[in-house]
Amino acid sequence: MPLLIVALGVLVLIILIMGLKLNTFVSLIIVSFGVALALGIPLVDVVKSIESGLGGTLGHIALIFGMGAMLGRLIADAGGANRIAVTLIDKFGERRIQYAVLAASFICGIALFLEVTIVLLIPIIFSIAKELKVSIVHLGLPMVAAALSTHAFLPPHPGPTAVAAEYGANIGLVLVYGIIVAIPTVLIAGILYPKLAKKIVPTAWTREGSESFGIQKTFKEEEMPGFGISVFTALFPVILMSIGAVVDILQASMGFEDNSMVQVIRFIGNSSTAMVLSLLLAIYTMGISRKVPMKELMNTCGSAINALGMLLLIIGGGGALKQVLIDGGVGDYVAQLFEGSNMSPVLFAWTVAAILRVCLGSGTVATLTAAGLVIPVLGTIPGVNLELVALATGAGSAIASHVNDAGFWMVKESLGLTLKEAFGTYTVLSTIVGVSGLICTLLLDIVL
């Protein structure tokens, strides 16, 4: 019965969002109330459960998410993203142009959200495709493969950050393991699959892309910051969190005790501290050192936060539904079903997230909703690697992007694809990202 209620709740959510075109956040809250009542949560506790889920989810990630948005916007508006892309493309050369686009998208994608990465890089690869007389799809698929992988696996992106917090996983370790998983995934999805896709949907390689996406802010050579400082600024939070994660790994394996130095490193490597320090660095490297007025820098930060408001509410709405599922006993019911099963918790988390992703469209919502079903299962199994379960959930949330996903339409329109071609390229590519991510995570689970 609890699973039937969840299925009906997901169905209602799909109808509200896709059929009635209701706002995603509003839909999530309505469904949360309905599911709470159907699961028999006492009336006096329904609102408390929803508020607890919404506040608990946003409480930990709002700082990381907000700082990450401002960091990415500062780098983009200063021309740092353009500098990274143009330099890598110039260094790799025409023959290895796909690898250059892949690397540029991966580096930019760590600091920028999926949609922002696409919007920023499309004009650049649009120009390169024309100059080299190649299809924009030839360069576009590596770009979206890297952007989607960073979005699914790497903090400070909303999905992996939020689910790591929900599971109680170490965000620094999620980042380190996420990079290990993401690298082979982007090579398979962004380099190998396009060669096959060219044979499956050859007409896609005749497209020239949408001219409207080519009209973006352009930068003169002297207006852009240097390549080294642009990459360093974009990767600075990764560097800090990775140092913290390495210390945790070494301490677990070598058994040395905490001292002042370890505590300082762990403090600096904490995801929240790392994002604050990275934002301060970006304000200097992308602004003050280039004589950009502080008022202009703060306007840039403000615009990044303004664009973030609804997305934060949607994430909170996903957390509310997650909490309702837990408080309503759905998670415990699933845990009982899972009890005695040999199914890996990594595979279980991926399966739940993948099903929700296909149904709901939003990877972030699917990730958070899956957490409500997975968390009780984790309590029944000793020695579970929470970081890998978080990565598996992210991998599941990337699978099978289709018509209910905003990213699907952005890729389709920016590359000028027909619906059939978009299914044959991006939908399959996103599925490869999800499956490859799962396989790499399972291999890591064996090694670790």
Side-chain angles (χ1 to χ4, degrees):
M1 193 63 186
L3 292 183
L4 178 61
I5 292 171
V6 173
L8 290 173
V10 170
L11 181 61
V12 171
L13 189 62
I14 293 170
I15 292 171
L16 290 177
I17 295 173
M18 295 183 64
L20 301 181
K21 309 298 181 186
L22 202 62
N23 177 276
T24 303
F25 170 68
V26 176
S27 301
L28 282 165
I29 296 300
I30 291 172
V31 170
S32 296
F33 271 100
V35 170
L37 293 172
L39 289 172
I41 295 177
L43 290 177
V44 294
D45 295 329
V46 169
V47 174
K48 291 179 183 177
S49 181
I50 291 173
E51 289 178 348
S52 171
L54 193 149
T57 297
L58 293 181
H60 180 73
I61 71 165
L63 188 152
I64 302 169
F65 202 14
M67 293 290 177
M70 289 187 279
L71 171 67
R73 185 64 66 88
L74 284 168
I75 295 170
D77 285 1
N82 284 59
R83 171 67 77 187
I84 292 169
V86 171
T87 302
L88 285 173
I89 288 162
D90 181 57
K91 296 295 182 185
F92 274 79
E94 183 177 337
R95 289 185 61 187
R96 294 183 293 276
I97 191 69
Q98 283 185 308
Y99 290 94
V101 171
L102 195 76
S105 183
F106 193 88
I107 293 171
C108 294
I110 291 173
L112 307 175
F113 299 146
L114 172 66
E115 294 82 1
V116 179
T117 302
I118 293 173
V119 169
L120 277 173
L121 295 185
I122 273 290
I124 299 171
I125 70 169
F126 188 89
S127 303
I128 295 165
K130 277 196 166 185
E131 184 178 333
L132 299 181
K133 294 182 174 57
V134 297
S135 168
I136 193 171
V137 176
H138 180 70
L139 305 180
L141 292 186
M143 176 193 69
V144 296
L148 179 60
S149 296
T150 55
H151 180 79
F153 301 128
L154 306 184
H157 285 276
T161 302
V163 80
E166 296 292 350
Y167 292 156
N170 183 310
I171 292 182
L173 286 177
V174 171
L175 176 63
V176 173
Y177 296 157
I179 292 173
I180 294 171
V181 168
I183 290 173
T185 297
V186 297
L187 290 173
I188 293 168
I191 300 297
L192 297 181
Y193 175 65
K195 295 177 181 178
L196 179 61
K198 192 172 184 179
K199 298 176 181 178
I200 298 173
V201 274
T203 55
W205 267 255
T206 64
R207 306 302 171 192
E208 296 181 354
S210 171
E211 287 282 357
S212 60
F213 282 85
I215 304 171
Q216 281 296 121
K217 184 178 180 181
T218 56
F219 297 90
K220 296 178 182 177
E221 177 67 24
E222 62 275 11
E223 290 178 334
M224 294 187 287
F227 174 73
I229 196 63
S230 298
V231 171
F232 180 69
T233 304
L235 296 183
F236 194 59
V238 177
I239 294 168
L240 293 182
M241 283 190 272
S242 297
I243 291 172
V246 168
V247 168
D248 286 338
I249 293 170
L250 290 176
Q251 188 175 39
S253 61
M254 298 171 64
F256 57 83
E257 295 183 2
D258 276 0
N259 54 43
S260 299
M261 178 67 72
V262 171
Q263 290 175 359
V264 169
I265 293 173
R266 188 173 286 124
F267 172 73
I268 293 174
N270 178 277
S271 53
S272 296
T273 311
M275 291 311 303
V276 172
L277 294 175
S278 299
L279 179 64
L280 293 175
L281 175 70
I283 289 172
Y284 177 76
T285 59
M286 299 290 116
I288 295 173
S289 68
R290 303 174 64 242
K291 305 295 188 290
V292 178
M294 184 60 74
K295 184 178 180 181
E296 185 177 330
L297 293 175
M298 292 305 99
N299 286 339
T300 295
C301 292
S303 64
I305 294 300
N306 291 338
L308 199 64
M310 183 51 67
L311 186 52
L312 277 172
L313 283 177
I314 290 170
I315 292 170
L321 181 56
K322 177 266 312 180
Q323 193 62 42
V324 162
L325 295 177
I326 292 175
D327 293 346
V330 175
D332 292 333
Y333 180 76
V334 173
Q336 290 173 9
L337 294 177
F338 190 72
E339 196 171 3
S341 168
N342 293 323
M343 189 178 185
S344 161
V346 170
L347 181 58
F348 176 73
W350 181 90
T351 303
V352 173
I355 292 171
L356 290 169
R357 156 69 164 184
V358 172
C359 293
L360 302 178
S362 168
T364 303
V365 174
T367 300
L368 285 163
T369 307
L373 298 171
V374 174
I375 287 171
V377 172
L378 300 180
T380 66
I381 304 172
V384 175
N385 190 315
L386 298 174
E387 290 76 27
L388 296 185
V389 176
L391 284 179
T393 309
S397 74
I399 200 170
S401 173
H402 61 99
V403 294
N404 61 357
D405 178 22
F408 172 87
W409 294 105
M410 175 169 279
V411 173
K412 174 189 175 298
E413 295 302 318
S414 63
L415 299 182
L417 300 170
T418 65
L419 197 59
K420 179 182 176 182
E421 290 165 351
F423 283 133
T425 53
Y426 186 58
T427 301
V428 178
L429 182 147
S430 63
T431 302
I432 291 171
V433 169
V435 174
S436 297
L438 170 65
I439 292 170
C440 292
T441 305
L442 288 171
L443 290 173
L444 262 183
D445 196 25
I446 295 171
V447 173
L448 298 174

